[in-house]
């Protein structure tokens, strides 16, 4: 029969194993961040290439495709390293499903590039195809954040995920702005869409700020490309206030937006590094505690043996073990509570995903259409996307044909 | 490089492994239920033995201790069977911590029995000691329910947990009523406490009903000992309306309450059986789906090879694989949403636990005192325990010395 002490130690070992897995998740997320960045650049370059009817960025596009292939191999390598042997990975079924979706999309990447090269696709369609890939990769990061069992690390992952998502909205804005400037004009609906991309970035960066430590926030502020930010803001004002745009500005817009995004990419590495150090220090601490606990339990059982008390332990020893057990239970409970609070922030995104799914099922929409519908509703009603999503979900019961 | 299909299959295998683990959890919960029942009987018998100053139930107590030892071994055996090898068990750190707490408590059981035999303990103190053990075992069941990843099974586990918790309140009521009748009188505070034990049972059984399928509910209604219920209700009325009680009724109260509780115990087996069948059928279904998916993917890749399409798959095949991936993602997401909804019901208990912890830390109370304080507040304010707990938690920030 195993003793309470052995389960106490097993609980601690479980925690360490979970932390180690989170450390590996951190590496995976880093590789995904680099791959997403390359895809975002390729999307932007392809966009200008298509808008200019192949006159501009032809060589840059080829170079970027090669660079992208390198980080794609790195990300695929990280996927391969995942231990898919059953139940070892927390949240495995969802994580692996997301990866399957990404890998399926990547199988279509050569064909997508071919159609960009031969200019068979419209700029908007090409952008949308790259955006689907990026969203698939972000969903993998999301599942990783959702699976974290340590509140401090969960917090860092939520911050990183929102930063990555904010950067992706910045990338979409770059492509959108480049098309708008190159086209020489923008209508009211286009301006509204641009505004929405700006607000989406801000919302993500607010969550990022709310979940980041002071040191991380300071590093983020210090790492901003302030000049690029100012230029981006100036050109946003131009794009969102007038209806006729100077096509010559398209290139400058792309360059400034790229400088800003590249600074965000550098920041992602800082955040990923912070996450790694956090995991490493938590693992070290947990190992120290395990060692101390093991030593203390050994000492207690030795004392018990020599005291030969009538109860399995004397009252003093009994108290000590009980304190150990209670301390651990309370610590785990506090961690669980904190974790629930952190995870609540992920629920907003889940609500949007569910509302999208509902529209897809009920109105036979594609994922893009469903998202655009929600966004349009949010813009028309001047409400946040998540509030509109919640409203749609609350209608689920009265919509016919929806479970 | 691994393909999307291989991750699709890995996701499904993860699901199956999680279901298999839930199946084993079901067996563990069954063994815990039998052990709890024996401890409840031993508590009741010990109570009457102590109240009667050793004149009654002396031999029954010895017999019951022997019976209890048998089911204790069974439960310990189930604990030993758990694979404590790191990360294989979901929620391992919390589950193992709870088990450590239980095993520590069981180490003190021989000493407790000795003090009951020699009548060194008051009836109330002896009851409280058994109650702590039972609560520890219920906490193990709670963690098991909290770790379930399948919404249907989670629902069944939540129902079973609440039924077990309701039965425990019924057991506490049996001991309380036996002491009250045997003592020949009850004051207003005692009546309020009795009332509270009745309401606690009702609250648990309501959650049980809300999370149970119609067939299970019917079985539960059919399995009730209606005669015992009616007698229990009649004697509750006697106890809760007058202040002078007939000590002769103590025995009858104990017998009727026991009949009712024994019927609940039989019901637990029905519920555990339902859970087992649910797990088995979900595992079978998931295995069928895995086999179908594997066959479909093999067929698709064969077709792709013979078609030698320029893209890795022809447009038709691409569509089919994408559909598989999306279908699985959507199914997992729907399951996740449903699971969150089921788990919300567990949060009420967590709020009470947290509020207790807060009082223990802030007011240096024992766990029993903290619980009694919350219960007293609930009774005084005529509010539900969970509402009082939430109110206490919302004060956490303004209480000095509490994090």
């Amino acid at each position: 029969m195993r003793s309470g002490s052995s389960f106490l130690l097993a609980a601690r070992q479980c925690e360490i194993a979970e932390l180690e897995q989170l450390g590996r998740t951190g590496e995976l997320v880093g590789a995904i961040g680099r791959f997403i960045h390359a895809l975002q650049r390729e999307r932007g370059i392809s966009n200008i290439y298509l808008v200019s009817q192949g006159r501009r960025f032809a060589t840059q596009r080829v170079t970027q495709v090669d660079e992208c292939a390198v980080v794609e191999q790195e990300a695929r390598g990280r996927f391969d390293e995942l231990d898919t042997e059953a139940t070892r990975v927390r949240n495995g079924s969802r994580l692996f499903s997301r990866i399957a979706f990404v890998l399926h999309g990547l199988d279509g990447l050569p064909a997508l590039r071919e159609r960009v090269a031969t200019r068979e696709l419209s700029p908007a369609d090409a952008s949308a195809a790259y955006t689907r890939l990026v969203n698939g990769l972000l969903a993998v990061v999301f599942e990783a954040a959702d699976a974290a069992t340590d509140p401090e690390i969960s917090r860092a992952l939520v911050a990183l995920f929102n930063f990555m998502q904010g950067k992706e909205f910045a990338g979409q804005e770059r492509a959108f702005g480049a098309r708008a400037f190159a086209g020489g004009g923008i209508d009211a609906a286009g301006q509204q869409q641009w505004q929405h991309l700006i607000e989406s970035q801000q919302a993500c960066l607010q969550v990022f700020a709310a979940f980041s430590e002071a040191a991380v926030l300071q590093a983020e502020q210090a790492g901003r490309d302030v000049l690029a930010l100012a230029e981006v803001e100036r050109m946003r004002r131009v794009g969102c206030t007038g209806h006729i745009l100077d096509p010559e500005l398209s290139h400058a817009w792309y360059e400034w937006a790229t400088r800003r995004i590249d600074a965000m990419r550098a920041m992602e590495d800082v955040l990923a590094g912070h996450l790694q150090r956090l995991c490493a220090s938590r693992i070290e601490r947990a190992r120290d505690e395990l060692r101390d606990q093991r030593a203390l339990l050994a000492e207690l059982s030795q004392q018990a043996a020599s005291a030969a008390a009538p109860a399995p332990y004397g009252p003093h020893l009994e108290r000590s073990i009980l304190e150990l057990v209670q301390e651990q239970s309370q610590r785990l409970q506090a961690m669980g509570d904190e974790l629930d609070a952190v995870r609540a922030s992920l629920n907003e995104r889940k609500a949007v995903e569910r509302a999208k799914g509902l529209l897809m099922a009920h109105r036979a929409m594609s994922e893009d259409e469903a998202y655009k519908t929600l966004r349009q509703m949010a813009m028309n009603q001047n409400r946040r996307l998540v509030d509109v999503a919640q409203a749609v979900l609350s209608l689920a019961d009265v919509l016919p044909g929806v479970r």
Side-chain angles (χ1 to χ4, degrees), chain A:
Chain A
M1 289 285 165
R2 290 170 61 180
S3 67
S5 308
S6 89
F7 277 97
L8 201 60
L9 296 175
R12 187 71 79 165
Q13 275 157 340
C14 261
E15 250 187 281
I16 293 175
E18 285 178 350
L19 287 168
E20 285 169 344
Q21 200 200 305
L22 282 175
R24 287 189 293 275
T25 299
E27 290 168 10
L28 176 71
V29 170
I32 290 178
R34 285 184 285 278
F35 185 26
I36 286 178
H37 188 65
L39 285 170
Q40 285 167 336
R41 285 184 76 97
E42 191 178 321
R43 174 177 59 191
I45 289 172
S46 302
N47 210 34
I48 296 203
Y49 172 79
L50 289 170
V51 167
S52 68
Q53 282 156 353
R55 279 193 298 273
R56 283 168 54 195
F57 279 8
T59 50
Q60 282 96 325
R61 202 189 67 79
V62 175
T63 314
Q64 184 57 33
V65 165
D66 289 344
E67 278 176 24
C68 196
V70 175
V71 284
E72 176 180 344
Q73 290 313 305
E74 191 204 348
R76 279 180 179 264
R78 293 286 179 198
F79 292 155
D80 286 356
E81 276 168 34
L82 286 174
D83 184 359
T84 51
E85 200 186 298
T87 71
R88 283 192 177 246
V89 174
R90 252 187 116 84
N91 205 11
S93 50
R94 294 174 64 157
L95 184 68
F96 298 154
S97 263
R98 299 293 192 188
I99 292 175
F101 180 79
V102 165
L103 290 177
H104 175 74
L106 291 181
D107 287 341
L109 191 52
L112 170 63
R113 285 170 174 156
E114 188 55 34
R115 293 180 71 199
V116 170
T118 55
R119 291 188 277 124
E120 285 170 60
L121 279 177
S122 74
D125 285 349
S127 276
Y130 281 104
T131 300
R132 268 197 299 277
L133 273 177
V134 171
N135 283 342
L137 285 162
L138 282 171
V140 175
V141 178
F142 180 84
E143 293 302 343
D146 204 26
T149 46
D150 180 279
E152 218 179 331
I153 295 173
S154 175
R155 196 175 284 276
L157 269 167
V158 168
L160 178 53
F161 170 75
N162 275 280
F163 193 83
M164 291 171 84
Q165 177 75 68
K167 174 169 173 279
E168 165 56 10
F169 284 126
Q172 289 177 23
E173 186 197 8
R174 172 172 63 183
F176 184 86
R179 282 203 302 278
F181 279 113
I186 186 166
D187 59 8
Q191 287 178 336
Q192 212 178 14
Q193 198 177 335
W194 196 334
Q195 203 64 46
H196 196 75
L197 283 170
I198 296 171
E199 282 161 15
S200 303
Q201 286 168 62
Q202 283 166 347
C204 287
L205 294 178
Q206 272 164 13
V207 178
F208 159 75
F211 283 92
S212 294
E213 294 173 18
V216 168
L217 276 184
Q218 274 172 7
E220 192 272 327
Q221 275 163 7
R224 284 182 195 165
D225 186 331
V226 189
L227 179 60
L229 265 178
E231 280 298 318
V232 164
E233 284 294 1
R234 193 181 63 76
M235 296 181 83
R236 278 175 174 172
R237 182 172 48 75
V238 170
C240 291
T241 51
H243 290 296
I244 297 168
L245 302 177
D246 178 1
E248 287 304 306
L249 287 181
S250 175
H251 192 72
W253 161 261
Y254 182 81
E255 292 300 328
W256 286 117
T258 298
R259 267 185 63 170
R260 179 189 167 220
I261 291 171
D262 285 352
M264 291 180 88
R265 169 65 215 134
M267 193 56 219
E268 271 181 13
D269 278 338
V270 174
L271 296 177
H274 170 71
L275 182 65
Q276 304 279 35
R277 279 190 304 279
L278 200 61
C279 287
S281 85
R282 292 282 295 104
I283 290 171
E284 201 183 339
R285 204 168 78 200
R287 284 202 184 122
D288 284 352
E289 286 164 353
L290 174 63
R291 206 186 41 234
D292 292 352
Q293 211 174 52
R294 193 173 268 148
L296 184 58
L297 286 170
E299 198 186 320
L300 288 172
S301 84
Q302 218 165 25
Q303 286 177 24
S306 63
Y313 312 109
H316 169 68
L317 300 182
E318 203 170 312
R319 179 126 212 107
S320 299
I321 295 182
L322 185 62
E323 274 164 13
L324 271 186
V325 173
Q326 282 182 336
E327 207 178 272
Q328 178 146 320
S329 276
Q330 277 163 21
R331 193 174 52 81
L332 288 172
Q333 186 160 324
M335 274 172 60
D337 294 340
E338 213 182 319
L339 196 59
D340 287 344
V342 177
R343 277 210 195 127
S345 74
L346 298 174
N347 290 343
E348 294 207 349
R349 184 184 155 96
K350 285 187 190 165
V352 173
E353 293 294 313
R354 278 168 64 198
K356 253 169 40 183
L358 201 74
L359 291 176
M360 286 162 74
H362 180 59
R363 302 270 178 90
M365 285 180 176
S366 72
E367 192 169 352
D368 286 351
E369 287 166 347
Y371 181 70
K372 279 189 183 150
T373 303
L374 287 175
R375 204 183 52 195
Q376 194 59 49
M377 287 167 74
M379 291 192 294
N380 293 347
Q381 303 173 18
N382 197 21
R383 291 165 76 190
R384 292 189 316 150
L385 195 59
V386 56
D387 296 331
V388 171
Q390 299 281 18
V392 167
L393 291 173
S394 66
L395 284 175
D397 294 336
V398 296
L399 292 175
V402 178
R403 46 162 243 118

